[in-house]
Amino acid sequence: MLTDLVLVLRYRKAVTYGFHTLLAALEEHGTDTRYEVVFAESAQATIDAITAARGARTLVLWSFYSPDAAALAEELATIKAAAPGATHVAGGVHATAEPVQTLDAGWDVAAVGEGERTLLDLVDSGGDPAGITGLVYRDGTGRLVRTGKAHKEPLGTYRAFPLTYKRMNPIEITRGCVYACRFCQTPFMFSAKFRHRSVENVRWHVDRMRELGKRDVRFITPTSLSYGTDGEEPDLAAVEALLASCKEGIGPGGRVFFGSFPSEIRPEHMTVDALRLVKRYCANDNLIVGAQSGSERVLEAAKRGHDVESVRRAVRIGIAEGFRINVDMIFGMPGEDPADAEASLKLAQELAALGARIHSHVFMPLPGTPWRDAPPGDVDPETIRAVSRLAQQGALYGHWQKQREHATRLAAAAVEYPRPGRSRTLLPLTDRPATGSEPPG
């Protein structure tokens, strides 16, 4: 069969879920364009796929997070030099937040926002971006073209994963987040409100997984216990309906995981009732709790929506209910002073003593967030030594040292591509010394 369009996916382990979502939309879509999909798991495989297209219009689809952008731009240059002629389209949170920077780094088109409808339109047009919403590119004269916002549709309009290619992944049950933490890209990519996939739609996916011999059901959501609600209070009846249906669907030989990777639970949502609900239906013995800081001042500035005591209470409840608790914490937040840093370190040590494991991060000024223009996370030597001791004891893990390097690069890129007038909403820097305790009020 003659092919009008070749879609080459630069398929990397870190971003498979996004590609699966696009393919799920595509497999149900009727189009007159004769297309072929190629999974390219390396730079050389991408070069080979472009070469093998033999003149057919070729779109190379890329998806990446902001910390990976610089390294992938170098790979892109190598691919374009070895196999010219393809159109390279970047999507995902980084391309959405920094489309011009993405084009300047070598990509031909930046897909901005949710990509399902955009990809379908690109396929219908045979790969021609003209007039398709959700794109940024330069025309033949070098003029920057912005085609407007991408379509946002109810979650469940498209499948969560494709059946054609038998590539399963966790089921996205919620898109968007009402909390809009100032360091997080999720609410600014998908909007600061929840869109949930219905229980019936989730169950359809679970039934297909069981038919294909899959045993484990996991979920993608920014905050697990927010399933089914429009606001900040959990709806445990909705959560139970979801979990009960999934457990029934996957059958006696299957397992359901909830509140563990790749999702988490907010600390103020951790109650005895909620955790016993998880125990009743789910197989995971561990939970991930987002704490982020041990400083009330930093939590308020970041608009986390909870206090430090909520974190302590969540860990105590979780351990009492028999779960292993992993706590996310970010060191080097914008405006963090020595007292804030010490408060976070003391909280980490306290939670580790209770039996929790700390998943440590260093603040990165991520594009698209209110803290995009903040300085990179700076962790003082004494905190680094203390964090390293926790790691040696097995109480802490994470790639925080690598994140320091990413943070520096992202901050430099923000300076190169300034956004005048954007409020950073940063904490003011202070000269107060570390005291070992939280300041009053």
Side-chain angles (χ1 to χ4, degrees):
M1 181 184 74
L2 293 176
T3 300
D4 301 317
L5 181 66
V6 178
L7 300 174
V8 180
L9 312 185
R10 179 58 186 94
Y11 194 72
R12 300 180 302 119
K13 185 177 180 180
V15 293
T16 57
Y17 301 165
F19 281 133
H20 295 174
T21 299
L22 296 179
L23 293 175
L26 187 57
E27 73 177 357
E28 290 189 283
H29 180 62
T31 181
D32 293 331
T33 301
R34 297 165 297 184
Y35 67 88
E36 174 188 356
V37 175
V38 179
F39 294 85
E41 299 188 12
S42 67
Q44 186 58 54
T46 306
I47 292 169
D48 293 343
I50 296 170
T51 303
R54 300 186 186 283
R57 188 156 192 169
T58 303
L59 298 184
V60 182
L61 306 184
W62 300 71
S63 180
F64 48 88
Y65 299 107
S66 296
D68 300 326
L72 289 176
E74 294 180 5
E75 180 183 306
L76 171 66
T78 300
I79 292 170
K80 293 181 83 168
T87 300
H88 293 265
V89 183
V93 290
H94 186 80
T96 293
E98 300 287 353
V100 176
Q101 186 185 126
T102 299
L103 298 181
D104 289 349
W107 281 274
D108 302 300
V109 180
V112 175
E114 301 181 26
E116 293 98 331
R117 184 72 246 173
T118 302
L119 177 63
L120 301 186
D121 290 343
L122 267 175
V123 170
D124 287 346
S125 73
D128 183 355
I132 294 173
T133 57
L135 299 178
V136 179
Y137 60 92
R138 288 191 171 93
D139 64 16
T141 68
R143 181 179 64 92
L144 190 69
V145 178
R146 299 177 183 268
T147 64
K149 293 183 179 180
H151 294 280
K152 287 184 179 179
E153 300 178 76
L155 193 60
T157 300
Y158 306 111
R159 296 172 180 170
F161 50 70
L163 300 182
T164 304
Y165 305 98
K166 295 183 172 59
R167 294 178 185 250
M168 306 287 106
N169 53 256
I171 302 167
E172 185 182 22
I173 56 172
T174 300
R175 185 176 288 186
C177 184
V178 301
Y179 293 97
C181 300
R182 285 172 169 153
F183 53 80
C184 180
Q185 290 176 309
T186 296
F188 305 100
M189 168 81 175
F190 297 121
S191 80
K193 64 179 182 179
F194 294 130
R195 281 177 288 158
H196 305 291
R197 192 178 295 273
S198 71
V199 172
E200 294 74 20
N201 188 285
V202 175
R203 174 59 180 270
W204 182 91
H205 288 82
V206 173
D207 290 344
R208 303 292 81 72
M209 292 173 71
R210 184 176 180 180
E211 289 169 2
L212 292 169
K214 305 298 181 182
R215 297 185 63 252
D216 292 348
V217 179
R218 300 179 189 272
F219 305 104
I220 299 172
T221 169
T223 159
S224 296
L225 285 168
S226 294
Y227 178 76
T229 184
D230 293 328
E232 298 183 7
E233 289 298 316
D235 182 346
L236 293 187
V239 173
E240 181 166 19
L242 171 75
L243 297 180
S245 181
C246 291
K247 184 175 176 63
E248 178 184 65
I250 201 63
R255 303 181 298 179
V256 178
F257 295 84
F258 188 81
S260 58
F261 183 81
S263 59
E264 65 175 42
I265 294 177
R266 289 181 59 86
E268 73 273 27
H269 291 173
M270 293 266 284
T271 63
V272 171
D273 287 345
L275 297 193
R276 290 182 179 175
L277 191 62
V278 174
K279 288 172 70 174
R280 187 178 312 144
Y281 295 104
C282 302
N284 48 298
D285 62 358
N286 71 92
L287 298 170
I288 300 176
V289 176
Q292 315 313 352
S293 179
S295 163
E296 303 287 8
R297 198 174 77 101
V298 171
L299 290 176
E300 182 177 359
K303 296 191 76 69
R304 275 294 295 169
H306 64 78
D307 59 12
V308 175
E309 186 54 39
S310 296
V311 178
R312 294 190 180 99
R313 184 170 58 249
V315 171
R316 293 191 192 104
I317 291 173
I319 290 173
E321 289 299 314
F323 289 96
R324 294 169 54 240
I325 305 298
N326 297 274
V327 182
D328 278 336
M329 295 195 70
I330 303 173
F331 294 90
M333 290 277 227
E336 187 176 274
D337 67 15
D340 297 316
E342 184 167 339
S344 284
L345 182 58
K346 284 187 174 293
L347 179 64
Q349 292 167 332
E350 177 187 342
L351 300 181
L354 291 173
R357 291 185 74 212
I358 309 302
H359 188 191
S360 65
H361 306 266
V362 169
F363 169 75
M364 294 186 288
L366 294 172
T369 71
W371 280 356
R372 177 250 196 203
D373 296 308
D378 183 24
V379 185
D380 67 90
E382 179 52 42
T383 300
I384 290 174
R385 285 191 288 271
V387 166
S388 297
R389 285 193 293 271
L390 283 174
Q392 291 166 4
Q393 296 163 13
L396 179 143
Y397 64 103
H399 300 291
W400 56 275
Q401 297 192 58
K402 179 63 70 175
Q403 289 170 351
R404 293 177 76 195
E405 300 172 14
H406 291 322
T408 299
R409 284 196 296 271
L410 290 170
V415 171
E416 186 178 356
Y417 291 83
R419 298 282 180 88
R422 290 287 183 100
S423 171
R424 297 185 189 179
T425 59
L426 302 181
L427 281 166
L429 292 171
T430 72
D431 295 320
R432 62 192 178 118
T435 62
S437 61
E438 279 290 280

